Amino acid sequence: MDKILIRGGKSLKGVVEPSGAKNSALPILAATLLAEGESCIRNIPRLRDIDTFTYLLKHLGAQVTYREVEAGSETQTPWGDHRDPERRSPLPLLYVVTDSVNNFEAPYDLVRTMRASVLVLGPLLARFGRARVSLPGGCAIGARPINLHLEGLKQLGAEITLQHGYVEAKAGRLKGTDIYLDLPTVTGTENIMMAATLAKGRTVLQNAAREPEVVDLAEALNKMGARISGAGTQTLEIEGVPHLTRLDHTIMPDRIETGTFLVAAAITNGDIVIKNCRPEDLSAVIAKLQEAGVSIDQPGPTSLRVKRDGEIKAVNVKTQPYPGFPTDMQAQIMALMCLAKGSSVITETIFENRFMHVLELLRMGAQIQITGNTAVVTGVPKLSGAPVMATDLRASASLVLAGLAAEGETLISRVYHLDRGYEQIEEKLSRLGADISRIKDKG
Ligand code: EPU
């Protein structure tokens, strides 16, 4: 297994660009199952989770091919000019053809590796009238049941049974209805929204998730001919249509990767510009960092400049569904708070076990006390590099950030967690001046 070695203490400087958003690309890949024809997805991030999802699509019988577009040859996109000479990596395009789908099962081995595999449930059921998807087990960060996905699909008319660890779903044409979600689940909203696009009649989904990735998916579905309104609000209205057509869509920039770069600049006393991002998706994160004394400006509509001048002040953070502070940034801001002046209280309200990074941060000299879903972080003057272990995606990011700021060497093992969600992280950080390298597993 690869490891990442960081020699801390370098201030990050320069320009960086986030990749396409993982959590938007995954449901949009699932959406290609809803229609025949060759769908083209642009700005797809090259990540382990995307590879797992394309593997799943192939397993179902789809054809999936990557075509690389030379850097500089892409046209303007809504959030930036990809002809920008700063862009060093090619813009990947992914083509998916689902005409030949003849298998309706997401097997245990795939769902176990990546829970987002459950996103095929709604599309398969809506287009083919059947799906068999392994029930995901628990996860490092929490129990993460999918009862609300299943309840919503049942209300649309699906017959759902649980057998041998699998969700077996069957339906004729689904029927639009009013659905209220007990919690604004992100992938649950996406699964139900995708299924409802092909239902007969109108679906009103109340207490829907408002995350930007849900909006990106709704926009993609509307390009396929769906009739969805209200995306980004708590009420989605979906007027069902008999069929959808192929998709051509550019994935939005990854807001969590963007937020991670914001913290990277702050924690290293750096000064960086993040280009081709969507600042409006990060209001809560930007507000918290500014409250902590980090200087963040918006030189243009799709760029951010982040600079640290003085000391970091301790701030309290509570994770919330969007537009609140994202749980996917909790571990990263905790790394920053480890070096703040004073004590900060960090409350995790989305997942019940998302403090796994704390034990590793303690090994680097942090002072953190956990009580239930609250961590009290007392800032220390410095962290010291140590061998640490990544436990999940965002926990890994927080260890990278802590390592960038720490004195001496930090060796992070199990970086496959990081590779699930951060594209070329060590290349991007090296270009900003970090001393970071990957030690390849020889085995
Ligand atoms: N929940 C239920 N029942 C359900 C669904 C969810 O009780 O049927 C609970 C969960 O257990 C959790 C809460 O509702 O306590 C919110 O979970 P949600 O369903 O919104 O999370 P998700 O859809 O499984 C997505 C992202 C996560 C991100 C969360 C919260 C994708 C593929 N995953 O997960 O991303 O943390 O929303 O914003 O979109 C990550 O990228 O590192 C990551 C974990």
Side-chain angles (χ1 to χ4, degrees):
M1 279 186 277
D2 292 359
K3 293 187 170 131
I4 282 184
L5 177 66
I6 303 173
R7 292 189 185 89
K10 298 268 195 292
S11 285
L12 301 193
K13 292 205 165 44
V15 180
V16 70
E17 185 177 342
S19 300
K22 165 181 85 78
N23 288 348
S24 161
L26 293 170
I28 286 174
L29 280 172
T32 64
L33 288 166
L34 286 163
E36 289 193 345
E38 186 182 61
S39 287
C40 171
I41 304 173
R42 299 163 198 270
N43 201 29
I44 192 102
R46 298 300 300 261
L47 298 168
R48 262 173 78 105
D49 272 10
I50 300 296
D51 289 344
T52 309
F53 211 95
T54 55
Y55 185 80
L56 171 58
L57 289 175
K58 287 184 196 165
H59 173 84
L60 300 176
Q63 288 134 33
V64 186
T65 40
Y66 275 106
R67 291 178 212 159
E68 303 258 294
V69 171
E70 281 307 307
S73 70
E74 186 52 276
T75 51
Q76 188 98 18
T77 71
W79 52 86
D81 184 354
H82 283 301
R83 284 169 297 190
D84 188 338
E86 292 290 344
R87 187 178 181 108
R88 288 155 216 250
S89 56
L91 253 193
L93 302 184
L94 189 69
Y95 286 85
V96 186
V97 181
T98 62
D99 299 17
S100 49
V101 165
N102 56 2
N103 177 7
F104 309 102
E105 178 175 313
Y108 175 63
D109 279 346
L110 283 178
V111 182
R112 186 169 60 97
T113 327
M114 189 187 61
R115 304 175 61 82
S117 307
V118 300
L119 285 164
V120 299
L121 184 57
L124 284 176
L125 189 62
R127 177 160 154 221
F128 301 101
R130 55 197 275 217
R132 186 167 189 266
V133 173
S134 171
L135 195 62
C139 166
I141 62 176
R144 303 182 76 181
I146 58 161
N147 58 312
L148 302 174
H149 303 224
L150 303 185
E151 213 37 64
L153 296 174
K154 272 190 207 163
Q155 289 181 48
L156 288 170
E159 191 188 303
I160 294 185
T161 51
L162 295 181
Q163 279 180 40
H164 309 296
Y166 277 76
V167 176
E168 312 250 5
K170 281 195 204 123
R173 187 170 178 201
L174 296 169
K175 288 190 188 59
T177 187
D178 287 0
I179 300 171
Y180 173 83
L181 290 173
D182 278 350
L183 287 166
T185 158
V186 176
T187 48
T189 299
E190 293 166 345
N191 235 337
I192 296 166
M193 176 167 72
M194 286 192 280
T197 58
L198 290 177
K200 187 169 165 42
R202 177 185 157 102
T203 299
V204 179
L205 185 58
Q206 307 253 34
N207 201 24
R210 287 182 282 169
E211 270 65 6
E213 293 77 11
V214 173
V215 180
D216 205 23
L217 172 65
E219 282 172 7
L221 291 166
N222 283 345
K223 286 183 191 163
M224 297 172 82
R227 293 177 57 197
I228 302 169
S229 57
T233 73
Q234 284 167 319
T235 307
L236 290 176
E237 291 187 15
I238 306 139
E239 198 67 57
V241 294
H243 64 268
L244 297 175
T245 52
R246 66 175 285 273
L247 171 66
D248 189 333
H249 186 75
T250 306
I251 302 289
M252 62 179 267
D254 196 306
R255 66 188 166 106
I256 304 302
E257 188 189 2
T258 306
T260 305
F261 288 131
L262 290 176
V263 176
I267 206 167
T268 62
N269 226 338
D271 181 356
I272 72 172
V273 171
I274 308 172
K275 296 187 85 163
N276 295 337
C277 63
R278 288 209 319 207
E280 66 273 22
D281 293 343
L282 281 144
S283 304
V285 174
I286 291 173
K288 267 300 151 194
L289 289 173
Q290 287 174 329
E291 191 187 328
V294 180
S295 150
I296 302 178
D297 303 320
Q298 214 181 303
T302 60
S303 55
L304 286 167
R305 179 173 179 198
V306 52
K307 192 164 164 252
R308 155 137 164 228
D309 298 317
E311 66 186 14
I312 297 289
K313 295 192 272 274
V315 291
N316 297 338
V317 175
K318 188 175 189 181
T319 63
Q320 302 275 355
Y322 190 85
F325 191 93
T327 174
D328 289 346
M329 280 298 300
Q330 178 258 109
Q332 297 91 316
I333 200 147
M334 187 183 291
L336 182 65
M337 288 302 109
C338 289
L339 290 165
K341 191 167 169 53
S343 291
S344 67
V345 179
I346 298 183
T347 311
E348 171 59 55
T349 72
I350 309 292
F351 293 112
E352 62 273 21
N353 193 28
R354 213 175 196 183
F355 282 146
M356 308 256 285
H357 41 287
V358 169
L359 291 172
E360 302 301 304
L361 291 170
L362 291 177
R363 304 193 58 256
M364 299 179 73
Q367 269 188 36
I368 308 169
Q369 278 192 326
I370 303 178
T371 317
N373 68 343
T374 300
V376 178
V377 185
T378 307
V380 293
K382 62 181 175 63
L383 293 173
S384 65
V388 287
M389 197 173 74
T391 48
D392 68 73
L393 173 55
R394 308 303 170 186
S396 320
S398 83
L399 298 178
V400 169
L401 293 168
L404 290 174
E407 236 176 44
E409 287 189 357
T410 296
L411 184 65
I412 306 176
S413 54
R414 300 203 181 168
V415 295
Y416 55 86
H417 289 295
L418 200 62
D419 295 337
R420 293 184 61 168
Y422 288 90
E423 185 179 37
Q424 297 191 329
I425 186 74
E426 65 275 19
E427 286 89 340
K428 289 186 184 186
L429 290 172
S430 299
R431 287 202 290 268
L432 293 172
D435 186 343
I436 178 170
S437 54
R438 180 174 291 248
I439 302 172
K440 287 264 177 208
D441 183 13
K442 295 195 187 74

